[in-house]
Amino acid sequence: MNLHDFVKENYENGNYDFAKENYQNFHDETLKKETDDFTMGYNQAMQDYQSKHRFKHYPYKLTALLNRMLGNKLSEIVNFTDGYQSAKKQIKR
């Protein structure tokens, strides 16, 4: 019971607000990293096309499926290939 009272008192005094701030920082960094992976893939496709007039093949559907099966452990690869595919579509128009 003492532990409950201790936690309740600290919560009511606002001593646990740092957790919300840490979560927001983590979320912002994750979003930034996902954007960076997409941008890296996009830029790589542009570079490949400019230097060789060809694209590499990245199996987007396979990596997306594996990512879902593995609990989003391949999300950086999926974001990269998504950016790469977006650039390919833009250039082919």
Side-chain angles (χ1 to χ4, degrees):
M1 194 57 143
N2 290 335
L3 179 60
H4 175 268
D5 294 338
F6 174 78
V7 172
K8 181 180 177 187
E9 182 181 331
N10 280 293
Y11 177 77
E12 289 172 349
N13 291 332
N15 293 338
Y16 297 122
D17 288 339
F18 69 90
K20 183 177 179 182
E21 292 172 16
N22 287 341
Y23 174 78
Q24 188 62 42
N25 291 339
F26 173 77
H27 182 267
D28 293 346
E29 287 298 316
T30 302
L31 185 62
K32 180 181 175 187
K33 189 171 185 175
E34 288 175 359
T35 304
D36 290 344
D37 292 332
F38 180 90
T39 303
M40 286 183 351
Y42 185 91
N43 292 339
Q44 183 65 50
M46 292 296 197
Q47 183 181 355
D48 289 348
Y49 186 75
Q50 288 173 355
S51 65
K52 304 171 193 166
H53 294 285
R54 297 178 68 195
F55 294 106
K56 296 176 184 172
H57 175 69
Y58 292 107
Y60 176 75
K61 291 180 181 181
L62 177 61
T63 55
L65 175 66
L66 288 172
N67 187 44
R68 277 187 253 131
M69 291 172 60
L70 297 173
N72 294 326
K73 294 187 183 217
L74 302 177
S75 59
E76 293 173 347
I77 297 170
V78 171
N79 292 331
F80 179 88
T81 56
D82 190 26
Y84 199 93
Q85 297 296 344
S86 293
K88 280 173 59 173
K89 289 178 186 175
Q90 182 180 359
I91 290 173
K92 289 182 178 182
R93 289 184 194 168

